[in-house]
């Protein structure tokens, strides 16, 4: 294994890898989030046509589901608030998880604006550097290799066209039309 | 005889190089995602979904289902070689064997069991599905509604973890499924005037997010550096004594797997536990159980794969998926304009029979890939997880994007990944959520259709046909439940074992 | 090797001329012509488009890549296309959806905002009943529906779909009131066989195997010409009705695309559509090749659009 780091997987050791949070607090937070989703569905469905009992309209189902979800969330909430806080704490905010999520959000933001290959390559290098904890030149090499592979498999073999910036279209203008790829 | 000649036509279709090639690719990818920690059958299928768009429908379903049944087994390889239980609890006995230094025989018996179980269940599928489909033509939207509600109810009842939380996930899935244009009136719902939302939230993005991304995030927290066992080829030749002990267990496992395959949502989990309980009961020396008895490996592993064929029946005969994997197959078929349902066998015999034939062949490929070649795939376990993560994520992003070419789908994937990660941390199951997401549309549509056709009378949900279906299905489930109970299977035991 | 060198040379030369003069004579110069499709990468519609693109690419010796924008019934794809340069390098695989999305308010502009290059195919909606149904002809069915309002249930593929509109048009022409049952996920045939609806309007592909097996009887083709899948079945027009609406598909381009470019594309499409290869594909995928020139096509769309508007108003979808 080239990966030398050892992640502790017992509860106590995890502390270094995240922030402890009482399980009950977490449960309550999730239940409240579900309740919020339910309220959203109820309020929005109320704007739609309900139809009548013999022929429910488009608003009927979402409304009923919103109410059911709210009930379920309230029941969970009730059970959790009443239960003693005995369960082992849950660890949230692991560094690697946060890094990966941030990187993913970056990709989602930049994917269509900037060049897809550049964005994915940067993402790859970023995660390799910070999560795989490899050296920067390995990360860079890995990213380039991965992008070459992605281009070959998706663009060349499967014909999937990813959004590209001006960089590639500028380059493809110089390639002979022999390459029907046209990169962009 | 008719089924036989149809099957032969199916084989003729599959034996062409093209379907065979896709079957092989599916099985290969299934082995890879099965072996790689953090990628299960579902994520594996979803990731390859966009690649099937250019294929004909038969090849697409052949490839995707190949991923499904091979990855069902592939997970066992990892667990045995790393000695850790992965996603499926079926492997606990095998891990015990591996801990005793008998990883080789455990692998062999697991693979052979999976092969036999898988093959027998396809045989069952082939015999049951066509006559069942003919009966199903008589079933209208009202009965479908009743069936789907029953299925969702059963899932709430039998799947792991808190029932209240499972119910919440089902309702959430149904609610999220209503986003987009209402099919019956063409009115937009929850789209806020955004055309991008008119077709609803992308199923692929949601599925990859909820299953794939959340799994990766969870794994990042607990990547363990355990050295994999490298089995020697010599160990892979089964010994006569092992085979003799395993054979009856494999037979029983096949039957149990096939029967329990109709349990919606969690068929493979339930069937493996029931099989384990039964093998323990039948064993001459039950004290050996938990210490590496071969029957304890053979039974559950066989049952695990024997559910695959049965799980296909509701999808192929009715068009209603009962487990998440068949839900993904359904969405793949729909993308290709093939509507699974009672008419599938007459309208698209090439798809149905080609698929059945491919399952026979795929199970053979499974054994070949997983026994002699297991050494090659073990190497995959040596790739550091930090390198796997970005590679898998890049494939996911491209896969999601290439379905609709919408940047917003990547957001949906990321956000549902985060949501799935948090929900799973607190013991909410993703399988019911995904299944409800797929069934939601159908449920609402059929509910309103049934009322349209009956002129607004709710009696349509309790007419003769509905009652017969309810009685039949409920009866079957009760018998299975009683059977499981008698042999000492308890949900609480299964829940506890899953958490280890 | 020699071919390669020659092609490179040609390409370089072409590139220079094209960028220097940008004239339509040398169009398309081997540059990719992007075809936007609207209904999903694996759908029958896009499969047809791909077939057409292959043929056009050969004739024009330029790649014709497909960009799929299967969102909001095509509204997103049309909007995208209308924002592209009108230089002939962007075309769209258009259909009746341009009228329906406009009338529902999803699309901010109508067909007049595009140049229509050529019609390529049509798909005929057909009406069928169960083989043991008491309705032997279309007239039987419509007369019965007229005498018994809200008794006849007619299945189609969803509100606002082509099969829905044509079904409504047919029955309302004789002032017959029906219950229309929208089957979003293609279960119309199952329900017809299961006796839960009296008739169904679908595209031929959905009926072919059941009709051959003798389980269904096709009463009429609701398009403008008989369908090759049911050569003996007369159109509604031939049976004395006025309704005839087929689902057309063709190629359109942004407004202002040069005439010379349109002619070039139109001729390439004509050659492709009339090839044996394309006809063969039609039998497999389920469409009828039906080439129409740019002028005829534009005229046809205008008539079709007007008829669509009337029906959509009737079913309450018109904004």
């Amino acid at each position: 294994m080239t990966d030398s780091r050892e992640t502790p997987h017992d509860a106590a050791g995890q502390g270094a890898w995240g922030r402890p949070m009482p399980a009950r607090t977490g449960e309550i937070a999730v239940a409240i989030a579900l309740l919020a989703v339910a309220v959203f569905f109820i309020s929005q469905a109320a704007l739609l046509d309900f139809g009548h009992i013999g022929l429910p309209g488009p608003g009927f189902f979402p409304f009923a589901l919103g109410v059911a979800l709210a009930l379920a969330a309230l029941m969970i909430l009730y059970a959790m608030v009443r239960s003693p806080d005995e369960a082992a704490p849950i660890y949230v905010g692991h560094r690697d998880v946060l890094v990966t999520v941030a990187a993913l959000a970056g990709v989602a933001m930049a994917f269509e604006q900037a060049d897809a290959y550049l964005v994915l390559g940067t993402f790859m290098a970023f995660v390799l550097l910070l999560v795989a904890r490899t050296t920067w030149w390995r990360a860079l090499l890995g990213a380039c290799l991965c992008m070459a592979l992605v281009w070959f498999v998706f663009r060349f073999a499967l014909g999937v066209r990813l959004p590209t910036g001006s960089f590639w279209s500028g380059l493809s203008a110089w390639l002979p039309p022999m390459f029907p790829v046209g990169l962009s | 005889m008719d089924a036989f000649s149809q099957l032969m036509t199916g084989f003729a279709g599959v034996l062409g190089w093209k379907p065979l090639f896709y079957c092989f690719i599916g099985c290969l990818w299934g082995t890879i995602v099965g072996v790689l920690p953090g990628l299960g059958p579902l994520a594996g299928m979803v990731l390859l979904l966009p690649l099937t768009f250019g294929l004909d429908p038969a090849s697409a379903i052949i490839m995707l289902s190949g991923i499904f049944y091979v990855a069902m087994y592939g997970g066992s390889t990892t667990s045995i070689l790393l000695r850790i239980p992965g996603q499926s609890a079926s492997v606990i006995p095998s891990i015990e064997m591996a801990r005793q230094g008998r990883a080789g025989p455990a692998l062999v018996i697991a693979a052979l069991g999976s092969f036999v179980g898988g093959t027998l269940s396809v045989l069952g599928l082939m015999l049951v599905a066509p006559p069942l489909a003919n009966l199903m033509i008589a079933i209208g939207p009202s009965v479908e509604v009743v069936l789907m509600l029953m299925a969702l109810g059963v899932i709430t009842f039998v799947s792991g973890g808190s029932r209240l939380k499972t119910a919440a996930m089902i309702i959430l899935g149904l609610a999220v499924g209503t986003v987009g244009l209402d099919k019956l009136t063409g009115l937009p719902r929850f789209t806020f005037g955004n055309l991008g939302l008119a077709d609803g939230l992308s199923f692929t993005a949601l599925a990859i997010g909820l299953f794939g991304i959340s799994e990766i995030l969870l794994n990042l927290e607990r990547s363990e550096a355990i050295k994999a066992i490298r089995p020697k080829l010599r160990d892979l030749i089964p010994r006569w004594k092992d085979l003799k002990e395993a054979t009856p267990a494999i037979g029983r496992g096949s039957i149990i797997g096939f029967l329990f395959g109709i349990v919606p949502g969690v068929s493979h989990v339930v069937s493996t536990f029931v099989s384990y309980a039964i093998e323990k009961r039948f064993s001459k020396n039950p004290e050996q159980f938990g210490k590496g008895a071969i029957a304890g490996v053979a039974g559950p592993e066989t049952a695990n794969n024997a559910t695959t064929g049965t799980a296909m029946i509701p999808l192929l005969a009715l068009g209603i998926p009962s487990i998440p994997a068949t839900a993904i197959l359904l969405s793949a078929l729909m993308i290709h304009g093939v509507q699974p349902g009672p008419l599938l066998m007459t309208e698209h015999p090439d798809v149905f029979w080609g698929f059945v034939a491919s399952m026979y062949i795929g199970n053979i490929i499974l054994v070949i890939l997983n026994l002699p070649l297991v050494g090659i795939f073990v190497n995959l376990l040596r790739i550091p997880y930090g390198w796997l993560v970005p590679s898998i994520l890049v494939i996911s992003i491209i896969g999601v994007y290439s379905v609709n070419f919408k940047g917003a789908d990547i957001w949906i994937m990321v956000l549902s990944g985060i949501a799935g990660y948090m929900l799973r941390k607190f013991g909410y199951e993703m399988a019911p959520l995904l299944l409800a997401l797929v069934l939601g549309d159908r449920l609402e549509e059929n509910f309103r259709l049934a009322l349209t056709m009956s002129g607004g009378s709710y009696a349509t949900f309790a007419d003769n046909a509905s009652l017969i279906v309810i009685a039949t299905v409920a009866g079957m489930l009760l018998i299975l439940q009683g059977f499981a109970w008698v042999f000492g299977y308890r949900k609480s035991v299964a829940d506890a074992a899953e958490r280890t | 090797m020699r071919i390669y060198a020659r092609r490179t040379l040609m390409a370089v030369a072409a590139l220079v001329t094209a960028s220097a003069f940008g004239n339509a004579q040398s169009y398309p110069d081997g540059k990719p012509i992007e075809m936007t499709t609207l209904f999903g990468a694996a759908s029958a519609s896009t499969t047809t488009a791909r077939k057409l693109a292959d043929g056009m690419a050969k004739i024009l010796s330029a790649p014709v890549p497909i960009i799929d924008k299967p969102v909001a019934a095509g509204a997103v794809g049309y909007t995208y296309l209308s924002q592209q340069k009108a230089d002939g390098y962007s075309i769209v695989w258009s259909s009746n959806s341009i009228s329906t999305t406009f009338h529902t308010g999803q699309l901010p502009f109508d067909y007049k905002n595009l140049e229509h290059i050529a019609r390529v195919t049509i798909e005929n909606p057909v009406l069928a009943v169960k083989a043991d149904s008491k309705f032997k002809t279309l007239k039987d069915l419509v007369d019965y529906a007229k005498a018994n309002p809200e008794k006849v249930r007619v299945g189609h593929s969803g509100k606002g779909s082509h099969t829905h509109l044509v079904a409504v048009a047919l029955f309302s022409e004789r002032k017959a009131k029906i219950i229309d049952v929208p089957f979003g996920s293609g279960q119309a045939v199952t329900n017809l066989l299961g006796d839960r609806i009296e008739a169904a309007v679908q595209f031929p592909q959905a009926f072919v195997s059941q009709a051959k097996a003798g389980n269904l009887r096709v009463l009429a083709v609701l398009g403008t010409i008989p369908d090759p899948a049911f050569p003996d079945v007369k159109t509604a027009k031939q049976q004395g009705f006025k309704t005839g609406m087929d689902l057309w598909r063709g190629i359109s381009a942004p407004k202002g695309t040069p005439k010379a470019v349109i002619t070039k594309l139109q001729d390439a499409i004509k050659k492709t559509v009339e090839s044996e290869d394309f006809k063969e594909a039609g039998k497999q995928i389920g469409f009828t090749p039906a080439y129409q020139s740019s002028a005829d096509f534009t005229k046809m769309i205008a008539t079709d659009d007007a008829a669509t508007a009337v029906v959509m108003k009737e079913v309450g979808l018109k904004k």
Side-chain angles (χ1 to χ4, degrees):
Chain A
M1 290 260 171
T2 44
D3 194 0
S4 58
R5 87 201 154 100
E6 289 216 317
T7 314
H9 45 274
D10 55 301
Q14 252 190 13
W17 295 81
R19 212 176 278 274
M21 178 196 208
R24 201 176 69 141
T25 318
E27 294 272 11
I28 291 174
V30 172
I32 290 178
L34 283 177
L35 193 61
V37 174
V39 170
F40 166 80
F41 270 100
I42 294 173
S43 62
Q44 289 299 315
L47 305 176
L48 295 166
D49 174 24
F50 269 53
H52 56 93
I53 189 73
L55 187 61
F60 177 81
F61 237 68
F63 186 83
L65 288 169
V67 172
L69 185 60
L71 281 180
L74 283 174
M75 275 161 80
I76 295 171
L77 201 60
Y78 178 71
M80 286 309 153
V81 169
R82 269 183 40 142
S83 76
D85 193 8
E86 285 167 337
I90 300 246
Y91 290 84
V92 287
H94 187 290
R95 178 186 161 278
D96 288 359
V97 173
L98 292 182
V99 168
T100 311
V101 167
L104 278 174
V107 171
M109 229 173 319
F111 197 75
E112 277 194 319
Q113 268 73 40
D115 182 277
Y117 291 94
L118 288 182
V119 171
L120 288 177
T122 316
F123 168 79
M124 185 93 192
F126 184 77
V127 176
L128 284 180
L129 203 62
L130 291 177
V131 174
R133 294 169 179 72
T134 179
T135 52
W136 68 266
W137 62 269
R138 273 193 189 193
L140 216 60
L141 200 71
C144 291
L145 210 72
C146 177
M147 284 312 104
L149 216 65
V150 162
W151 181 83
F152 180 77
V153 173
F154 287 95
R155 183 68 196 92
F156 188 77
L158 296 166
V160 174
R161 300 156 64 83
L162 299 175
T164 49
S166 51
F167 176 65
W168 294 108
S169 43
L171 184 73
S172 67
W174 288 98
L175 288 174
M178 233 339 238
F179 297 95
V181 289
L183 275 160
S184 57
Chain B
M1 204 54 214
D2 191 35
F4 181 75
S5 64
Q6 297 253 44
L7 179 67
M8 284 303 124
T9 327
F11 266 117
V14 172
L15 287 174
W17 70 269
K18 217 174 81 178
L20 211 54
F21 171 76
Y22 289 117
C23 182
F24 177 77
I25 292 286
C27 292
L28 185 69
W29 177 250
T31 312
I32 293 173
V33 295
V35 167
L36 284 179
L39 273 178
L42 289 174
M45 288 168 79
V46 175
L47 288 181
L48 236 56
L49 188 58
L51 307 195
T52 64
F53 293 164
L55 309 180
D56 57 293
S59 298
I61 186 175
I62 284 171
M63 184 159 102
L64 288 170
S65 56
I67 300 172
F68 167 50
Y69 51 75
V70 175
M72 283 280 269
Y73 168 76
S76 309
T77 312
T78 314
S79 304
I80 291 171
L81 297 179
L82 291 179
R83 285 145 300 169
I84 45 159
Q87 294 135 319
S88 89
S90 68
V91 292
I92 293 166
S94 321
I95 296 165
E96 285 151 5
M97 263 185 87
R99 287 195 179 123
Q100 313 264 319
R102 297 186 67 210
L107 275 180
V108 174
I109 294 301
L112 288 182
S114 294
F115 168 67
V116 174
T119 308
L120 288 179
S121 82
V122 186
L123 193 71
L125 161 74
M126 187 178 94
L127 297 177
V128 174
L132 194 65
N134 279 334
L135 285 178
M136 289 301 135
I137 292 179
I139 280 190
S142 59
V143 183
E144 270 189 31
V145 169
V146 171
L147 258 179
M148 281 190 261
L149 286 177
M150 277 181 82
L152 293 175
V154 173
I155 291 169
T156 316
F157 192 71
V158 298
S159 65
S162 148
R163 280 175 194 149
L164 191 53
K165 286 179 178 175
T166 307
M169 285 300 99
I170 288 179
I171 301 166
L172 181 67
L174 293 176
V176 172
T178 62
V179 174
L181 287 187
D182 172 26
K183 270 191 192 158
L184 300 191
T185 58
L187 284 174
R189 296 195 288 199
F190 313 110
T191 61
F192 304 103
N194 186 341
L195 282 183
L197 282 174
D199 297 322
L201 302 171
S202 154
F203 172 76
T204 327
L206 285 171
I208 293 189
L210 293 172
F211 270 98
I213 309 283
S214 71
E215 182 77 34
I216 287 169
L217 295 179
L218 285 172
N219 275 311
L220 274 174
E221 284 179 353
R222 52 172 182 225
S223 54
E224 300 167 37
I226 298 175
K227 263 235 166 74
I229 306 172
R230 305 202 105 224
K232 293 195 189 77
L233 206 59
R234 189 160 42 93
D235 290 345
L236 292 177
I237 300 163
R239 278 177 296 179
W240 181 240
K241 185 173 155 291
D242 291 341
L243 280 181
K244 221 170 85 183
E245 252 181 81
T247 310
I250 288 177
R252 285 190 290 266
S254 305
I255 297 167
I256 290 159
F258 187 74
L259 292 179
F260 279 82
I262 68 159
V263 179
V266 285
S267 49
H268 62 286
V269 181
V270 175
S271 67
T272 48
F273 277 106
V274 172
S275 167
Y276 187 74
I278 285 177
E279 289 315 319
K280 202 166 171 181
R281 185 63 66 89
F282 270 99
S283 172
K284 286 187 199 84
N285 33 356
E287 69 281 356
Q288 272 291 310
F289 267 73
K291 297 195 192 95
I294 197 101
V297 174
E301 288 286 359
T302 307
N304 189 32
N305 268 43
T307 60
T308 52
T310 327
M312 297 291 172
I313 294 177
L315 174 73
L316 296 173
L318 262 175
I320 302 175
S322 64
I323 56 170
T326 50
I328 291 169
L329 283 183
L330 172 71
S331 66
L333 285 174
M334 299 280 278
I335 285 168
H336 284 275
V338 175
Q339 172 72 44
L343 298 181
L344 178 72
M345 284 149 231
T346 39
E347 308 260 296
H348 301 278
D350 55 321
V351 173
F352 179 76
W353 292 103
F355 165 70
V356 168
S358 85
M359 268 180 93
Y360 285 111
I361 293 170
N363 273 296
I364 297 170
I365 299 181
L366 178 152
V367 175
I368 296 172
L369 284 179
N370 281 285
L371 286 182
L373 302 181
V374 69
I376 299 170
F377 293 105
V378 172
N379 287 327
L380 286 173
L381 292 174
R382 292 153 61 96
I383 304 172
Y385 200 61
W387 282 76
L388 277 182
V389 169
S391 321
I392 296 170
L393 289 176
V394 164
I395 302 174
S396 311
I397 293 165
I398 299 176
V400 163
Y401 184 76
S402 60
V403 180
N404 290 331
F405 294 95
K406 276 198 304 187
D409 284 354
I410 301 177
W411 273 117
I412 295 175
M413 178 191 82
V414 174
L415 294 178
S416 59
I418 299 169
Y421 163 75
M422 287 313 289
L423 287 169
R424 286 172 78 170
K425 251 183 131 68
F426 290 98
Y428 292 83
E429 300 263 330
M430 290 299 107
L433 175 60
L434 189 80
L435 208 53
L437 210 61
V438 174
L439 289 184
D441 251 7
R442 259 313 255 294
L443 184 63
E444 180 186 7
E445 188 188 327
N446 279 322
F447 181 74
R448 288 162 62 188
L449 273 178
L451 286 176
T452 310
M453 288 196 274
S454 75
S457 154
Y458 279 81
T460 178
F461 296 111
D463 63 4
N464 280 339
S466 314
L467 292 179
I468 292 170
V469 168
I470 296 171
T472 316
V473 176
M476 264 163 32
L477 289 172
L478 277 178
I479 291 171
L480 287 180
Q481 175 68 37
F483 184 71
W485 204 266
V486 166
F487 282 98
Y489 165 77
R490 299 286 183 276
K491 179 172 174 282
S492 54
V493 181
D495 282 0
E498 263 188 287
R499 275 197 291 276
T500 43
Chain C
M1 222 36 233
R2 238 191 96 218
I3 297 167
Y4 174 81
R6 237 177 70 189
R7 287 195 60 164
T8 315
L9 258 174
M10 268 165 60
V12 170
L15 212 100
V16 170
T17 31
S19 53
F21 307 103
N23 71 19
Q25 289 311 301
S26 51
Y27 172 87
D29 283 341
K31 282 213 282 174
I33 304 167
E34 289 187 350
M35 188 192 288
T36 307
T37 57
L38 311 169
F39 296 102
S43 63
S45 155
T46 307
T47 314
T48 314
R50 208 169 283 131
K51 201 85 210 160
L52 176 73
D54 288 349
M56 286 171 70
K58 264 182 222 136
I59 295 166
L60 296 168
S61 35
V64 184
I66 283 182
I67 313 178
D68 204 32
K69 302 254 174 217
V71 183
V76 168
Y78 290 123
T79 313
Y80 168 82
L81 183 93
S82 69
Q83 290 157 354
Q84 304 306 305
K85 268 196 208 132
D87 54 6
Y89 293 103
S90 305
I91 52 178
V92 66
W93 179 231
S94 53
S95 71
N96 306 55
S97 56
I98 190 153
S99 296
T100 48
T101 50
F102 168 70
H103 293 304
T104 55
Q106 280 175 300
L107 192 65
F109 54 84
D110 70 352
Y111 71 95
K112 288 179 217 117
N113 237 18
L114 296 179
E115 305 279 356
H116 302 284
I117 297 171
R119 186 173 75 178
V120 176
T121 69
I122 59 165
E123 286 154 55
N124 270 323
V126 291
L127 185 142
V129 296
K130 215 178 157 197
D132 57 14
S133 163
K134 59 181 172 182
F135 307 116
K136 303 283 185 235
T137 64
L138 186 63
K139 196 169 166 302
D140 288 354
L141 178 69
V142 179
D143 287 349
Y144 180 83
K146 193 170 178 191
N148 303 277
E150 306 215 342
K151 278 279 174 301
V152 173
R153 294 166 294 187
V154 180
H156 55 80
S157 330
K159 193 147 183 167
S161 67
H162 189 80
T163 50
H164 176 214
L165 298 180
V166 75
V168 168
L170 175 75
F171 285 93
S172 67
E173 142 184 5
R174 297 276 165 102
K175 308 257 180 306
K177 275 211 157 67
I178 52 161
I179 300 178
D180 67 90
V181 190
F183 293 95
S185 20
Q187 297 153 288
V189 180
T190 319
N191 281 288
L192 186 61
L193 292 176
D195 271 331
R196 286 177 294 276
I197 50 178
E198 279 71 38
V201 178
Q202 296 279 287
F203 290 107
Q205 210 68 350
F207 287 139
V208 168
S209 57
Q210 295 299 336
K212 262 197 197 128
N215 298 329
L216 293 178
R217 179 165 57 239
V218 179
L219 293 188
V221 170
L222 305 180
T224 47
I225 54 170
D227 196 275
F230 304 106
D232 315 329
V233 179
K234 286 184 180 157
T235 64
K237 279 192 173 169
Q238 289 167 338
Q239 300 183 40
F241 290 80
K242 275 178 263 164
T243 304
M245 287 165 77
D246 33 39
L247 174 63
W248 54 263
R249 298 182 195 282
I251 290 292
S252 306
K255 193 87 194 164
T257 304
K259 273 269 148 354
V261 168
I262 291 182
T263 314
K264 256 196 179 156
L265 283 168
Q266 176 194 301
D267 295 347
I269 294 167
K270 183 172 198 276
K271 259 189 213 155
T272 310
V273 175
E274 285 169 0
S275 70
E276 277 308 310
D277 203 27
F278 200 74
K279 276 182 199 150
E280 194 48 45
K283 274 184 204 143
Q284 275 174 19
I285 303 168
F287 62 80
T288 315
Y291 168 81
Q292 250 182 356
S293 69
S294 179
D296 294 344
F297 184 37
T298 314
K299 238 181 270 162
M300 189 278 293
I301 295 176
T303 337
D304 185 67
D305 185 76
T308 308
V310 172
V311 189
M312 288 187 70
K313 194 158 190 180
E314 170 150 1
V315 297
L317 283 171
K318 175 135 173 67
K319 274 264 159 74

